[in-house]
Amino acid sequence: MRPITSDRLRQKFHQVIYEADTPAGKLFDLVLLLLIVVSIVAVMLESVVEIQQKYGAELAVIEWVITGFFTLEYIGRILSVRQPLKYALSFYGIIDLLATLPSYIDLLFPGFHFLLALRAVRLLRIFRILKLMHFVGAGNNLLEALKKSRNKIAVFLFTVIVICIILGTIMYMVEGASSGFTSIPVSVYWTIVTLTTVGFGDITPQTPLGQFISVIIMILGYGIIAVPTGLVTAQFMSQNREDSNTQSCPNCSVYGHRDDADFCYHCGSKLNF
Amino acid sequence: MRPITSDRLRQKFHQVIYEADTPAGKLFDLVLLLLIVVSIVAVMLESVVEIQQKYGAELAVIEWVITGFFTLEYIGRILSVRQPLKYALSFYGIIDLLATLPSYIDLLFPGFHFLLALRAVRLLRIFRILKLMHFVGAGNNLLEALKKSRNKIAVFLFTVIVICIILGTIMYMVEGASSGFTSIPVSVYWTIVTLTTVGFGDITPQTPLGQFISVIIMILGYGIIAVPTGLVTAQFMSQNREDSNTQSCPNCSVYGHRDDADFCYHCGSKLNF
Amino acid sequence: MRPITSDRLRQKFHQVIYEADTPAGKLFDLVLLLLIVVSIVAVMLESVVEIQQKYGAELAVIEWVITGFFTLEYIGRILSVRQPLKYALSFYGIIDLLATLPSYIDLLFPGFHFLLALRAVRLLRIFRILKLMHFVGAGNNLLEALKKSRNKIAVFLFTVIVICIILGTIMYMVEGASSGFTSIPVSVYWTIVTLTTVGFGDITPQTPLGQFISVIIMILGYGIIAVPTGLVTAQFMSQNREDSNTQSCPNCSVYGHRDDADFCYHCGSKLNF
Amino acid sequence: MRPITSDRLRQKFHQVIYEADTPAGKLFDLVLLLLIVVSIVAVMLESVVEIQQKYGAELAVIEWVITGFFTLEYIGRILSVRQPLKYALSFYGIIDLLATLPSYIDLLFPGFHFLLALRAVRLLRIFRILKLMHFVGAGNNLLEALKKSRNKIAVFLFTVIVICIILGTIMYMVEGASSGFTSIPVSVYWTIVTLTTVGFGDITPQTPLGQFISVIIMILGYGIIAVPTGLVTAQFMSQNREDSNTQSCPNCSVYGHRDDADFCYHCGSKLNF
């Protein structure tokens, strides 16, 4: 039997930790997924005062077990890649570090207790696991559509923000501090709340003129939601079309055959795909 | 005249209760529809304190008449199918049972009075009747479109929930209990209220930073509503396209030809439309 | 000169009042349009207590001048059609009557003062004028698209209402009167407020379970708005396609030419349209 | 060396101020962009009482430096165009003037202090710079789509407003002043707040009938948002289709062929793609 060299060991580790094609790799990912979900639930419950008072000790134990596992995993990841620094500075490398650090910081500097909530970033680690497990084909499709209409959406959002700043300033001039429009930033905040049709109602216009301008803002917001929707829909549609069927007839070269076509719809010759 | 055997009786019952092609079957369905609507209105009115005090007796009578009918109907359904157990455990079988049980439970255990509201599930029985009456062709179309984009919508919803948990945790750290963000679950609840543009306004951010993050959440929510809309629209569109050409091949009778097709995509024979 | 017979007079009147092709008819419509707008503004201002106290007399004069004109116009319409009864019972006939009646009722029975607000139906008369003026070609297009997806929208709305009744009942059981969910009808009202993403915030869930169900309602509402949008969009799209170009090539009969095409894109032969 | 004539100087100035093709022109635009953003931030911060009290002097200095630059720039623009009056009366000419005037007015007439907020219009100047920098190709695309569906959107908005006035009047009659529906204009305002799904919640219906009508308004608003969305989406789609095939005819160079075109639609010559 060949001695297990350091290099082979690293490769083995890499397979388990970074890949999901072997049974051990799959098991590792499932355990990790479970621990992330348990950890997030624990972080959320910890923040509820009554639960923290009753089950604080149990939650602390769960937290340290998970932090321990995540620490070992982080070390394992560092050791099993060829370029540890590159991993450590990558997006997931930083997320992995942020998943363990807050607990240690809280131990050393009890004053930074509020940093504990940062552990919620652990949730982002789920996306890596899902990626390994090939769950996110549909997601890539969505992302691609959003990316392709990125420019137009950016121009749209920029215009919306400019409109909100100008209309917010006008609302500040019209309504004034007595109705809750205490400053331009607050008025702009209110305008965005209204334009996006969220409408908290903590600040509302009181003067007839202010209500009239609000109506314009609301109808504007109600109408221009059509723009991002239209952009993304048009993008999805052209994706659908591209996916449909890209084969051409060997005889007459026309496109646009059904996926289950046996004969060319145009010349009637046999299709061999 | 042939004596009506038990089997023929069951068949007769089955026809009336489960089908809607005979006049008796149609009448039965109409009566059932009426009783369901009356029953739901009664359940709703009963919950209004003033009406309950004034017309409580009348409502109780209506309730028991309907419960009686539903009980008889349930027994009839059990008796007239060949596999009573299979019916009893089916979706509609359970709904039918839940439609009668609460009234009896209330009679036996007055403490479980609040269970009476469960009678609202009777409303679900309407869908069976509508199905029988062939009202829901359009509904199937909708369902199919939703089903086909199910995966993408699931990925979208999962991402939205992860975003809401992370942004909700950040809002909890930024705003704190003084503004109503008393715990992470409450903050996540607030984030979903804001992202979906519902905006109750019972909890609102008070700090400038909190309002800034809110603005990001709102604009995100305003923008990404485009995703489910785009998915479903693209789905409807491709349904429309498939439905558009209703001609069938004169040779092999398949449907779904392109509008400009000259030859059948399935058998290659000439199309003469 | 021929004496103007009663019949010719009626025809003349008809032309002025019912048509908009002659200068007199156009002028009549413009005056009517102006009076309707003035009248609506007056009705709205009258309802504002401060304005009513200050300018009540002036508003009353305006009101009576307009009521007088509308009365004369109504009589004119009755006299100038061949079938006065048919007109009187038509949609616009009833609207025209309702436009004048409230003022007289208020004069005779001062107790029914609140009926004055009914004069707002005068606004509906605008649509007849716009119709005459051929302003609403685009509107017909919209209406047609809505009509064609009417069935699907009806099934969708019915399903939404059933969902709202069931979820509203569950919210009533979960939250109870202490959070403002005082009865099932109120809970159903709240559920619709939440599902449609309006979110007044006058009633809000207080229990964790109630908030969890609210989250489901909100995400549902945020997601299924895709359905009516998708239906109407798909309808508009197929309208666009139908409008595009319905000519076929005289040589090879293919469809789908550009509006400005001179040659067939498929066989290259000259198009003669 | 040729003496720099007044005309050449003007041309030079014009190049720097109005164009962005030379390094000097680009630098000028970047400085202007920076100053506009700084100025807007300063205007917003100035309106926050605490910041104004602490950093009022610093903000005033920043303001006057920027106003000085904008004044010089305005004079430069006037001097370097051939038709100064035409520029002064153009859209951007007026914006440029409004960007400097408020500061001077505040100096001369301290009573008009609130006019300072007008400086927010400076933000509109950003669009000119972006235009020069060719950032807004995507924006033109959006604008064109909105313009093409302008008529339909106008008819839609007009109908929505008429519906809101009539439903608002009904709500005023049903609810009355005790629920906050103090006048018809306020009721119409509330109806628009509800129909656009903003839902502030400052005014809410209290009577069962009022809540029932609200439900109709909400479902209407939830449903008809499909109309503008559908219109704009259909517009984007047909834009996409026109843009899709970028091949030009080898003979006459026209664009816009179908993907499956064999012959040029314009000159009928064979296409070899």
Side-chain angles (χ1 to χ4, degrees), chain B residues 5-17:
Chain B
T5 64
S6 153
D7 205 65
R8 279 203 57 213
L9 195 69
R10 200 181 66 200
Q11 221 170 339
K12 197 106 200 174
F13 258 108
H14 190 278
Q15 222 172 34
V16 172
I17 299 180

Side-chain angles (χ1 to χ4, degrees), chain B residues 56-70:
Chain B
E58 288 87 341
L59 287 170
V61 169
I62 292 172
E63 182 50 39
W64 279 109
V65 168
I66 291 171
T67 302
F69 182 91
F70 283 179

Side-chain angles (χ1 to χ4, degrees), chain C residues 43-61:
Chain C
V43 168
M44 291 179 83
L45 292 180
E46 220 184 280
S47 75
V48 183
V49 177
E50 301 88 57
I51 294 178
Q52 166 66 13
Q53 283 169 344
K54 261 200 190 157
Y55 304 103
E58 288 87 340
L59 287 171
V61 168

Side-chain angles (χ1 to χ4, degrees), chain A residues 47 197-199 221 258 262-263 265, chain B residues 184 197-199 222 256 262-263 265:
Chain A
S47 75
T197 77
V198 172
R258 286 172 59 112
D262 293 323
F263 294 89
Y265 68 89
Chain B
I184 295 181
T197 77
V198 171
Y222 189 68
D262 292 324
F263 293 90
Y265 67 89

